[in-house]
Amino acid sequence: MQKINKNVVLALLSLTSLVFLLFQLYYYKFYLSQKNGAVFSKVRGSLSGQDSTRWHVVRKFLGLISSHNIPVYLIDPLILGLVDKDIEQIRSSPDGPSPECKYFCAPRDFTTFALLDKTWKHEVGLFRTAEKMGFQWLKIINKDPRLDGVDDLSGIEIPLHYIFKLASHAIHLVVFYERSGNYLWHGPLRLKQHMDKKFVPFRKLHFGRYPGAYEKPELLLVSIDDLKVQIPKNPSSFLEEMSHSRFLECRYREARAFFQLYPDDASLGAVEFRKKAKSLLHLAALTLNKLGVKFWLSSGTCLGWFRQCNVIPHSKDVDLGIFIRDYKTDIIPAFQKAGLPLKHKFGKVEDSLELSFQGDDDVKLDIFFFYEEDDHIWNGGTQAKSGKKFKYLFPKFTLCWTEFVELRVHVPCETLQYIEANYGPDWKVPVKTWDWKSSPSNVQYNGIWPIDEWDDVIQIY
């Protein structure tokens, strides 16, 4: 009799637990889910609770920014990588329902969006709404480099990043600003001392380790996992751009200190030369960009940017570098078509190629081609009257973006090593008398061109 009573009691307890569980599910589905805007049944396919939580947080964030008319677009590299594989299908069915949650439910800690600063200015109301929706948020501000110059270091701070956290997922909103070189820029993510370093795992963020520069993207409105969202029209191009987006700011404080020691040349001749050099650099950039040829500031032009944030007035030319692997036969005709006649052509594609084009008056454009070896990079030089060859050695370097004379342009990321290789440890001291065959710290004698090749490797116009 006692055994039967125990079974009955156990059965009653099990039934009661089941009824209570069913009530909890009913209550959550028809009350809490509507109150919090989380209708998980809309996410099709077989999902775990953790997966659907990511989708839910993204959905709530999109609802938040939509309620405040804030146009954002998706720049998350993990999601864009998945989207890119299916981009034709996504483009062809922008409104079609998703058979499963394939993109926003992928395992990750963050989802990253971008915001153009000029499209939104009303942040107070956004944060209040976000808090009502259950979000915690963090705002990261830092100095606005667009207001800096040699004569004025403003120190004015602007918002660079926002982070919205809900449950186990976070939204990273990167703020992009337009710069005078007609490109978009985002700043680094640097936490102030009083900020919570454990708010989210910041080291996992894809944006903010360093500033970045991007072309203005063309956007496409699509439906991904039943969520309407804007993405870059060509995700693969954006991802490629992202991998080479690092940006270096001009060193205005150092330039200021330089000019205190060596006052800037403000003569009419110097002003005219800088004006012509700027025009020539813009024309060269336009020409090479149309050809898809990557280039960077080299020699004296790179030194001018790094040391004084301007063109060196006594340099008399504009210097660019190009990796020989990026050489195209269209380069010479393209510059000639742009109104820059060929001044000289030294060397050949296999060895020590260098081109020089004539700009306005005595301002010329020199293009040096760089060759990669196992442990260094070098470019060549040729003395026309003797056929002597020279080699200039540099430590290996990568390329970063910067802004120079209102132009987005590449410079070596390892700029100091690049400058020191070329100009030695005293690069901060101006030198007006410069011999290209003996003055550089990295020059080496490299033999003599065979006389029977001179007609091909020494061409002067």
Side-chain angles (χ1 to χ4, degrees):
M1 185 69 181
Q2 188 177 4
K3 184 177 181 180
I4 295 174
N5 289 339
K6 286 183 178 180
N7 289 336
V8 170
V9 171
L10 182 62
L12 288 173
L13 289 174
S14 299
L15 180 62
T16 303
S17 298
L18 179 61
V19 171
F20 183 70
L21 177 62
L22 290 173
F23 173 76
Q24 284 184 311
L25 291 173
Y26 176 86
Y27 180 79
Y28 181 81
K29 181 177 181 181
F30 291 99
Y31 178 70
L32 286 182
S33 65
Q34 294 178 16
K35 180 179 179 181
N36 293 324
V39 187
F40 290 98
S41 62
K42 288 189 176 181
V43 185
R44 295 169 172 79
S46 177
L47 301 173
S48 69
Q50 186 179 10
D51 289 340
S52 57
T53 297
R54 297 188 188 101
W55 179 90
H56 163 55
V57 173
V58 173
R59 181 176 180 271
K60 290 195 74 171
F61 172 74
L62 291 175
L64 169 66
I65 59 99
S66 177
S67 67
H68 287 264
N69 298 314
I70 304 171
V72 301
Y73 58 96
L74 183 72
I75 57 171
D76 192 287
L78 298 179
I79 299 179
L80 289 181
L82 296 172
V83 166
D84 187 55
K85 298 176 182 178
D86 305 326
I87 190 62
E88 294 304 324
Q89 179 184 350
I90 291 173
R91 284 174 177 169
S92 61
S93 55
D95 298 313
S98 302
E100 61 178 341
C101 185
K102 181 178 180 181
Y103 308 100
F104 286 115
C105 293
R108 66 197 188 287
D109 297 299
F110 296 87
T111 301
T112 313
F113 288 85
L115 164 68
L116 294 182
D117 170 70
K118 69 176 185 179
T119 62
W120 172 70
K121 296 292 181 185
H122 313 288
E123 63 181 32
V124 176
L126 174 71
F127 294 143
R128 289 174 181 168
T129 307
E131 290 171 356
K132 290 179 181 179
M133 295 175 70
F135 282 103
Q136 294 176 276
W137 57 270
L138 187 66
K139 174 183 175 182
I140 293 93
I141 62 174
N142 216 318
K143 193 174 69 169
D144 186 351
R146 299 171 301 170
L147 303 177
D148 279 355
V150 173
D151 299 324
D152 180 25
L153 302 174
S154 71
I156 295 176
E157 293 189 322
I158 54 175
L160 298 180
H161 300 263
Y162 297 99
I163 296 176
F164 298 86
K165 184 174 70 171
L166 180 64
S168 60
H169 196 67
I171 303 294
H172 181 196
L173 185 57
V174 184
V175 186
F176 282 80
Y177 292 84
E178 286 195 23
R179 301 270 301 237
S180 58
N182 196 32
Y183 63 95
L184 299 181
W185 169 90
H186 74 76
L189 196 159
R190 301 287 182 266
L191 297 179
K192 307 285 187 180
Q193 286 189 347
H194 66 278
M195 290 184 172
D196 182 5
K197 306 297 190 297
K198 297 181 180 180
F199 184 71
V200 290
F202 290 99
R203 291 175 180 266
K204 295 184 179 181
L205 289 173
H206 298 287
F207 292 80
R209 295 170 193 164
Y210 44 74
Y214 291 80
E215 295 281 351
K216 295 178 182 178
E218 188 176 353
L219 300 178
L220 179 69
L221 180 64
V222 295
S223 178
I224 302 176
D225 294 337
D226 292 344
L227 298 176
K228 286 284 187 181
V229 62
Q230 290 196 102
I231 63 171
K233 190 173 183 179
N234 191 333
S236 60
S237 294
F238 178 85
L239 292 173
E240 173 64 21
E241 193 176 9
M242 177 185 169
S243 65
H244 302 95
S245 63
R246 186 178 176 185
F247 184 92
L248 300 179
E249 205 66 60
C250 186
R251 309 179 327 138
Y252 287 114
R253 291 187 185 276
E254 290 80 358
R256 214 173 182 184
F258 171 80
F259 285 125
Q260 288 177 352
L261 292 174
Y262 309 99
D264 195 16
D265 185 353
S267 65
L268 180 60
V271 171
E272 282 298 312
F273 171 74
R274 281 177 167 156
K275 181 180 178 181
K276 292 174 182 176
K278 174 183 175 181
S279 177
L280 181 58
L281 181 56
H282 278 249
L283 180 57
L286 179 64
T287 304
L288 291 171
N289 288 338
K290 282 183 179 179
L291 294 175
V293 175
K294 186 180 292 186
F295 68 95
W296 65 90
L297 303 182
S298 189
S299 303
T301 306
C302 185
L303 175 62
W305 167 77
F306 189 68
R307 187 176 67 188
Q308 55 212 74
C309 296
N310 208 336
V311 175
I312 299 175
H314 58 263
S315 59
K316 303 304 179 186
D317 56 18
V318 171
D319 302 309
L320 302 181
I322 296 175
F323 287 117
I324 196 63
R325 65 173 180 261
D326 296 324
Y327 172 78
K328 292 184 178 181
T329 56
D330 296 339
I331 290 178
I332 293 176
F335 275 107
Q336 291 174 327
K337 186 177 179 181
L340 299 176
L342 185 63
K343 184 178 177 64
H344 72 241
K345 176 184 177 184
F346 294 154
K348 51 188 176 182
V349 175
E350 301 81 25
D351 183 9
S352 304
L353 182 64
E354 111 185 47
L355 302 174
S356 183
F357 297 91
Q358 187 63 57
D360 290 341
D361 298 332
D362 58 345
V363 184
K364 61 187 178 75
L365 171 69
D366 291 332
I367 300 180
F368 305 102
F369 290 86
F370 284 67
Y371 300 77
E372 296 185 70
E373 304 289 350
D374 291 337
D375 59 351
H376 67 277
I377 298 174
W378 63 275
N379 73 284
T382 297
Q383 186 179 33
K385 64 181 180 180
S386 67
K388 289 182 180 179
K389 298 168 62 181
F390 299 87
K391 179 184 283 191
Y392 304 86
L393 275 60
F394 295 85
K396 288 201 167 185
F397 58 87
T398 53
L399 295 179
C400 287
W401 290 110
T402 192
E403 184 175 318
F404 184 60
V405 293
E406 299 180 358
L407 180 71
R408 185 180 72 139
V409 65
H410 279 118
V411 292
C413 299
E414 300 77 13
T415 322
L416 179 59
Q417 295 91 320
Y418 189 87
I419 294 294
E420 286 184 334
N422 211 179
Y423 297 98
D426 295 328
W427 57 270
K428 292 183 181 180
V429 181
V431 177
K432 295 190 176 181
T433 303
W434 183 263
D435 185 279
W436 61 271
K437 303 180 297 301
S438 59
S439 296
S441 299
N442 58 344
V443 65
Q444 290 184 2
Y445 178 68
N446 195 31
I448 302 177
W449 288 107
I451 294 178
D452 60 352
E453 293 185 17
W454 281 24
D455 287 344
D456 294 324
V457 300
I458 303 175
Q459 298 180 21
I460 301 176
Y461 301 90

PDB file of all heavy atoms in Angstrom, residues 211-228:
ATOM      1  N   PRO A 211      42.906  52.944 -37.285  1.00  0.00           N
ATOM      2  CA  PRO A 211      42.014  53.680 -38.184  1.00  0.00           C
ATOM      3  C   PRO A 211      41.981  53.024 -39.561  1.00  0.00           C
ATOM      4  O   PRO A 211      42.931  52.335 -39.961  1.00  0.00           O
ATOM      5  CB  PRO A 211      42.641  55.074 -38.253  1.00  0.00           C
ATOM      6  CG  PRO A 211      43.549  55.159 -37.070  1.00  0.00           C
ATOM      7  CD  PRO A 211      44.023  53.775 -36.808  1.00  0.00           C
ATOM      8  N   GLY A 212      40.890  53.260 -40.294  1.00  0.00           N
ATOM      9  CA  GLY A 212      40.755  52.673 -41.625  1.00  0.00           C
ATOM     10  C   GLY A 212      40.217  53.671 -42.625  1.00  0.00           C
ATOM     11  O   GLY A 212      39.508  54.624 -42.263  1.00  0.00           O
ATOM     12  N   ALA A 213      40.551  53.476 -43.905  1.00  0.00           N
ATOM     13  CA  ALA A 213      40.082  54.339 -44.989  1.00  0.00           C
ATOM     14  C   ALA A 213      39.447  53.469 -46.065  1.00  0.00           C
ATOM     15  O   ALA A 213      39.981  52.422 -46.436  1.00  0.00           O
ATOM     16  CB  ALA A 213      41.228  55.147 -45.577  1.00  0.00           C
ATOM     17  N   TYR A 214      38.297  53.933 -46.588  1.00  0.00           N
ATOM     18  CA  TYR A 214      37.523  53.158 -47.547  1.00  0.00           C
ATOM     19  C   TYR A 214      36.945  54.050 -48.641  1.00  0.00           C
ATOM     20  O   TYR A 214      36.701  55.246 -48.418  1.00  0.00           O
ATOM     21  CB  TYR A 214      36.338  52.466 -46.847  1.00  0.00           C
ATOM     22  CG  TYR A 214      36.732  51.361 -45.903  1.00  0.00           C
ATOM     23  CD1 TYR A 214      37.193  51.648 -44.621  1.00  0.00           C
ATOM     24  CD2 TYR A 214      36.639  50.032 -46.280  1.00  0.00           C
ATOM     25  CE1 TYR A 214      37.552  50.635 -43.739  1.00  0.00           C
ATOM     26  CE2 TYR A 214      36.989  49.002 -45.402  1.00  0.00           C
ATOM     27  CZ  TYR A 214      37.444  49.314 -44.141  1.00  0.00           C
ATOM     28  OH  TYR A 214      37.805  48.317 -43.276  1.00  0.00           O
ATOM     29  N   GLU A 215      36.703  53.450 -49.791  1.00  0.00           N
ATOM     30  CA  GLU A 215      35.914  54.106 -50.817  1.00  0.00           C
ATOM     31  C   GLU A 215      34.470  54.210 -50.323  1.00  0.00           C
ATOM     32  O   GLU A 215      34.019  53.407 -49.489  1.00  0.00           O
ATOM     33  CB  GLU A 215      35.936  53.295 -52.119  1.00  0.00           C
ATOM     34  CG  GLU A 215      37.296  53.204 -52.782  1.00  0.00           C
ATOM     35  CD  GLU A 215      37.668  54.462 -53.554  1.00  0.00           C
ATOM     36  OE1 GLU A 215      36.783  55.335 -53.712  1.00  0.00           O
ATOM     37  OE2 GLU A 215      38.820  54.570 -53.977  1.00  0.00           O
ATOM     38  N   LYS A 216      33.728  55.185 -50.841  1.00  0.00           N
ATOM     39  CA  LYS A 216      32.311  55.265 -50.504  1.00  0.00           C
ATOM     40  C   LYS A 216      31.595  54.089 -51.176  1.00  0.00           C
ATOM     41  O   LYS A 216      31.626  53.959 -52.394  1.00  0.00           O
ATOM     42  CB  LYS A 216      31.724  56.588 -50.997  1.00  0.00           C
ATOM     43  CG  LYS A 216      32.316  57.808 -50.313  1.00  0.00           C
ATOM     44  CD  LYS A 216      31.723  59.094 -50.886  1.00  0.00           C
ATOM     45  CE  LYS A 216      32.358  60.312 -50.240  1.00  0.00           C
ATOM     46  NZ  LYS A 216      31.840  61.578 -50.811  1.00  0.00           N
ATOM     47  N   PRO A 217      30.960  53.220 -50.385  1.00  0.00           N
ATOM     48  CA  PRO A 217      30.373  52.024 -50.980  1.00  0.00           C
ATOM     49  C   PRO A 217      29.008  52.294 -51.616  1.00  0.00           C
ATOM     50  O   PRO A 217      28.249  53.150 -51.163  1.00  0.00           O
ATOM     51  CB  PRO A 217      30.235  51.083 -49.794  1.00  0.00           C
ATOM     52  CG  PRO A 217      29.994  52.005 -48.638  1.00  0.00           C
ATOM     53  CD  PRO A 217      30.796  53.251 -48.927  1.00  0.00           C
ATOM     54  N   GLU A 218      28.721  51.557 -52.664  1.00  0.00           N
ATOM     55  CA  GLU A 218      27.369  51.531 -53.213  1.00  0.00           C
ATOM     56  C   GLU A 218      26.624  50.454 -52.444  1.00  0.00           C
ATOM     57  O   GLU A 218      27.116  49.330 -52.294  1.00  0.00           O
ATOM     58  CB  GLU A 218      27.405  51.210 -54.705  1.00  0.00           C
ATOM     59  CG  GLU A 218      26.062  51.351 -55.390  1.00  0.00           C
ATOM     60  CD  GLU A 218      26.152  51.119 -56.888  1.00  0.00           C
ATOM     61  OE1 GLU A 218      27.278  50.977 -57.399  1.00  0.00           O
ATOM     62  OE2 GLU A 218      25.079  51.074 -57.529  1.00  0.00           O
ATOM     63  N   LEU A 219      25.428  50.778 -51.936  1.00  0.00           N
ATOM     64  CA  LEU A 219      24.716  49.878 -51.041  1.00  0.00           C
ATOM     65  C   LEU A 219      23.556  49.176 -51.746  1.00  0.00           C
ATOM     66  O   LEU A 219      23.003  49.677 -52.726  1.00  0.00           O
ATOM     67  CB  LEU A 219      24.195  50.642 -49.823  1.00  0.00           C
ATOM     68  CG  LEU A 219      25.266  51.333 -48.966  1.00  0.00           C
ATOM     69  CD1 LEU A 219      24.612  52.091 -47.829  1.00  0.00           C
ATOM     70  CD2 LEU A 219      26.280  50.328 -48.431  1.00  0.00           C
ATOM     71  N   LEU A 220      23.225  48.007 -51.207  1.00  0.00           N
ATOM     72  CA  LEU A 220      22.154  47.192 -51.760  1.00  0.00           C
ATOM     73  C   LEU A 220      21.250  46.759 -50.617  1.00  0.00           C
ATOM     74  O   LEU A 220      21.724  46.238 -49.599  1.00  0.00           O
ATOM     75  CB  LEU A 220      22.748  45.968 -52.461  1.00  0.00           C
ATOM     76  CG  LEU A 220      21.783  44.965 -53.089  1.00  0.00           C
ATOM     77  CD1 LEU A 220      21.096  45.595 -54.301  1.00  0.00           C
ATOM     78  CD2 LEU A 220      22.527  43.705 -53.501  1.00  0.00           C
ATOM     79  N   LEU A 221      19.937  46.978 -50.748  1.00  0.00           N
ATOM     80  CA  LEU A 221      18.975  46.558 -49.734  1.00  0.00           C
ATOM     81  C   LEU A 221      18.533  45.130 -50.040  1.00  0.00           C
ATOM     82  O   LEU A 221      18.026  44.844 -51.125  1.00  0.00           O
ATOM     83  CB  LEU A 221      17.760  47.497 -49.717  1.00  0.00           C
ATOM     84  CG  LEU A 221      16.672  47.166 -48.691  1.00  0.00           C
ATOM     85  CD1 LEU A 221      17.217  47.293 -47.274  1.00  0.00           C
ATOM     86  CD2 LEU A 221      15.457  48.076 -48.884  1.00  0.00           C
ATOM     87  N   VAL A 222      18.754  44.232 -49.092  1.00  0.00           N
ATOM     88  CA  VAL A 222      18.428  42.819 -49.296  1.00  0.00           C
ATOM     89  C   VAL A 222      17.717  42.277 -48.064  1.00  0.00           C
ATOM     90  O   VAL A 222      17.657  42.921 -47.014  1.00  0.00           O
ATOM     91  CB  VAL A 222      19.696  41.981 -49.573  1.00  0.00           C
ATOM     92  CG1 VAL A 222      20.352  42.394 -50.873  1.00  0.00           C
ATOM     93  CG2 VAL A 222      20.684  42.093 -48.412  1.00  0.00           C
ATOM     94  N   SER A 223      17.180  41.073 -48.216  1.00  0.00           N
ATOM     95  CA  SER A 223      16.585  40.361 -47.098  1.00  0.00           C
ATOM     96  C   SER A 223      17.495  39.194 -46.751  1.00  0.00           C
ATOM     97  O   SER A 223      17.747  38.322 -47.591  1.00  0.00           O
ATOM     98  CB  SER A 223      15.191  39.852 -47.463  1.00  0.00           C
ATOM     99  OG  SER A 223      14.632  39.121 -46.393  1.00  0.00           O
ATOM    100  N   ILE A 224      18.011  39.188 -45.527  1.00  0.00           N
ATOM    101  CA  ILE A 224      18.883  38.117 -45.055  1.00  0.00           C
ATOM    102  C   ILE A 224      18.283  37.538 -43.795  1.00  0.00           C
ATOM    103  O   ILE A 224      18.068  38.262 -42.817  1.00  0.00           O
ATOM    104  CB  ILE A 224      20.307  38.643 -44.769  1.00  0.00           C
ATOM    105  CG1 ILE A 224      20.922  39.291 -46.018  1.00  0.00           C
ATOM    106  CG2 ILE A 224      21.197  37.527 -44.266  1.00  0.00           C
ATOM    107  CD1 ILE A 224      22.282  39.912 -45.778  1.00  0.00           C
ATOM    108  N   ASP A 225      17.984  36.257 -43.820  1.00  0.00           N
ATOM    109  CA  ASP A 225      17.342  35.600 -42.676  1.00  0.00           C
ATOM    110  C   ASP A 225      16.078  36.347 -42.257  1.00  0.00           C
ATOM    111  O   ASP A 225      15.814  36.557 -41.061  1.00  0.00           O
ATOM    112  CB  ASP A 225      18.309  35.511 -41.488  1.00  0.00           C
ATOM    113  CG  ASP A 225      19.498  34.606 -41.763  1.00  0.00           C
ATOM    114  OD1 ASP A 225      19.375  33.734 -42.638  1.00  0.00           O
ATOM    115  OD2 ASP A 225      20.544  34.788 -41.108  1.00  0.00           O
ATOM    116  N   ASP A 226      15.298  36.774 -43.246  1.00  0.00           N
ATOM    117  CA  ASP A 226      14.037  37.492 -43.019  1.00  0.00           C
ATOM    118  C   ASP A 226      14.216  38.864 -42.373  1.00  0.00           C
ATOM    119  O   ASP A 226      13.270  39.428 -41.823  1.00  0.00           O
ATOM    120  CB  ASP A 226      13.077  36.661 -42.159  1.00  0.00           C
ATOM    121  CG  ASP A 226      12.581  35.428 -42.901  1.00  0.00           C
ATOM    122  OD1 ASP A 226      12.730  35.387 -44.139  1.00  0.00           O
ATOM    123  OD2 ASP A 226      12.050  34.515 -42.247  1.00  0.00           O
ATOM    124  N   LEU A 227      15.422  39.408 -42.418  1.00  0.00           N
ATOM    125  CA  LEU A 227      15.672  40.751 -41.911  1.00  0.00           C
ATOM    126  C   LEU A 227      16.115  41.640 -43.057  1.00  0.00           C
ATOM    127  O   LEU A 227      17.018  41.285 -43.821  1.00  0.00           O
ATOM    128  CB  LEU A 227      16.762  40.721 -40.830  1.00  0.00           C
ATOM    129  CG  LEU A 227      16.462  39.921 -39.567  1.00  0.00           C
ATOM    130  CD1 LEU A 227      17.674  39.921 -38.637  1.00  0.00           C
ATOM    131  CD2 LEU A 227      15.241  40.470 -38.844  1.00  0.00           C
ATOM    132  N   LYS A 228      15.488  42.805 -43.181  1.00  0.00           N
ATOM    133  CA  LYS A 228      15.870  43.770 -44.205  1.00  0.00           C
ATOM    134  C   LYS A 228      17.114  44.523 -43.753  1.00  0.00           C
ATOM    135  O   LYS A 228      17.141  45.105 -42.662  1.00  0.00           O
ATOM    136  CB  LYS A 228      14.733  44.769 -44.449  1.00  0.00           C
ATOM    137  CG  LYS A 228      13.564  44.195 -45.229  1.00  0.00           C
ATOM    138  CD  LYS A 228      13.916  44.090 -46.695  1.00  0.00           C
ATOM    139  CE  LYS A 228      12.696  43.689 -47.514  1.00  0.00           C
ATOM    140  NZ  LYS A 228      13.033  43.565 -48.948  1.00  0.00           N
TER     141      LYS A 228
END
